[in-house]
Amino acid sequence: MPDINWYPGHMAKTRRMLEEQLRAVDAVVELCDARAPMATRNPDLDALCRNKSRFLALNKSDLADDAATKKWVERFREEGTPAVRFQAVGGGGRKEMFALIEKAARPAVERMKARGAMKTARVMVVGIPNVGKSTFINRLRGSGIAKAGDRPGVTRSSQWVKIGPYLELLDTPGMLWPKLADQSQARTLAFIGSVKDEVLDTEGLACDLLETLARLLPEALRARYKLPDDMGGMSGPELLEAACKGRGWLLSGGRFDTDRAAALVLDEFRAGKIGRVTLETP
Ligand SMILES: Nc1nc2c(ncn2[C@@H]2O[C@H](COP(=O)(O)OP(=O)(O)OP(=O)(O)O)[C@@H](O)[C@H]2O)c(=O)[nH]1
Ligand SMILES: [Mg+2]
């Protein structure tokens, strides 16, 4: 499969904007995807945010394996990164999230208080495309003010959102980095929908995903696509054809509609329809 890379102009622009805006913010919330908490963290953020109070939210935890998320949170905390699991769609934890944000911004707010001023805490929300930054902000605000969508690159410019009398969050465009050196991680990013499908070989990607899921989630995969019992030794392309057969995705003359199958397998995985799974182990 050709190398996966996606670094359009708006991401380079976002990087410059982040550098400028960071001076004006009191804390940073980084969102990653709980299904791949390593691959979905932008390594550039460490350097960019090094002087800022920051914590990590493992979002979309409803799509990941709970035990694995727990382990990941522990691992990050051991390494000195405050981390929490979160679910911006259909989950609770709003109050706890406010408490965390308040704690992260507290030093700056206290400094202003000492000077007799009541400060509005300004917190930047960052992360790679499609991890749920805009949805997270809407969830905390309690209404849909930031545009969100089930594809990467929805937010194109940063936007301050007032959450309460003393809290504002900055929604930022998802940002990847110029070269995805680790192509196995790049594929993981593509699986979960953080890379624009138009730059991908979707059929090759779906084959890789099927192979991966045959290892990690065999029973659920077999049931969903009516795959044969001996699917264990099958290659990605064989699994894709078996899924066409199982689900009846056929063209005239009985040929397999692998284009359609690839798109559907990716869609169903991204929406969590195949099952809850974590693609990386701590
Ligand atoms: N299942 C599930 N879906 C979520 C969760 N959070 C966000 N989503 C979905 O993920 C998709 C992306 O959400 P956005 O908020 O647009 O993501 P973003 O990080 O702002 O994306 P960009 O602006 O493109 O960088 C949407 O379809 C959301 O409904 C979650 O906790 N669980
Ligand atoms: Mg967004």
Side-chain angles (χ1 to χ4, degrees), residues 133-134 147 154-155 171-172:
K133 299 174 293 300
S134 303
K147 193 173 164 209
V154 171
T155 306
D171 190 13
T172 64

Side-chain angles (χ1 to χ4, degrees), residues 16-265:
R16 292 194 292 275
M17 180 278 295
L18 286 188
E19 273 182 292
E20 280 162 27
Q21 295 270 14
L22 267 165
R23 277 180 234 133
V25 307
D26 303 308
V28 174
V29 182
E30 181 187 349
L31 259 65
C32 70
D33 190 306
R35 290 168 295 176
M38 283 249 284
T40 61
R41 292 190 71 194
N42 183 339
D44 289 351
L45 287 174
D46 275 341
L48 276 172
C49 307
R50 70 185 171 279
N51 298 320
K52 287 289 161 187
S53 167
R54 174 165 58 135
F55 71 88
L56 180 67
L58 284 75
N59 192 38
K60 305 201 183 184
S61 56
D62 55 311
L63 303 178
D65 177 74
D66 264 335
T69 303
K70 210 165 154 231
K71 278 195 201 141
W72 272 114
V73 167
E74 276 163 22
R75 158 68 80 87
F76 286 124
R77 288 179 181 168
E78 279 162 21
E79 288 172 351
T81 306
V84 282
R85 55 161 285 172
F86 198 71
Q87 182 185 338
V89 172
R94 202 163 156 254
K95 251 203 193 123
E96 291 83 348
M97 189 51 72
F98 278 129
L100 281 167
I101 292 175
E102 199 248 324
K103 190 173 160 208
R106 196 176 298 148
V109 173
E110 291 295 328
R111 272 199 303 280
M112 287 298 278
K113 237 189 202 157
R115 288 189 232 154
M118 193 57 202
K119 187 188 175 346
T120 294
R122 295 205 166 78
V123 176
M124 182 186 263
V125 180
V126 296
I128 67 162
N130 206 35
V131 286
K133 299 174 293 300
S134 303
T135 309
F136 172 88
I137 288 172
N138 290 338
R139 171 99 187 90
L140 292 187
R141 195 184 133 101
S143 66
I145 188 164
K147 193 173 164 209
D150 63 352
R151 59 191 187 286
V154 171
T155 306
R156 284 309 174 99
S157 55
S158 58
Q159 180 197 1
W160 282 105
V161 177
K162 203 166 174 59
I163 302 293
Y166 294 109
L167 177 62
E168 287 179 12
L169 296 182
L170 183 65
D171 190 13
T172 64
M175 194 176 79
L176 290 164
W177 49 102
K179 186 162 171 35
L180 301 175
D182 182 333
Q183 281 295 306
S184 145
Q185 286 198 343
R187 259 194 304 281
T188 301
L189 296 179
F191 288 163
I192 63 163
S194 285
V195 179
K196 192 167 92 157
D197 276 328
E198 285 80 350
V199 306
L200 298 169
D201 157 20
T202 42
E203 193 163 325
L205 189 70
C207 290
D208 280 359
L209 177 62
L210 287 169
E211 261 180 42
T212 304
L213 295 177
R215 234 179 335 104
L216 298 178
L217 208 62
E219 289 318 316
L221 189 73
R222 181 181 288 121
R224 177 127 203 125
Y225 298 109
K226 303 190 174 68
L227 300 175
D229 287 338
D230 61 346
M231 68 170 202
M234 287 165 78
S235 68
E238 286 166 348
L239 287 165
L240 192 67
E241 291 197 345
C244 287
K245 210 163 157 185
R247 290 277 289 269
W249 293 323
L250 303 172
L251 294 165
S252 61
R255 278 174 307 126
F256 298 127
D257 193 351
T258 48
D259 270 356
R260 175 153 175 246
L264 283 167
V265 165

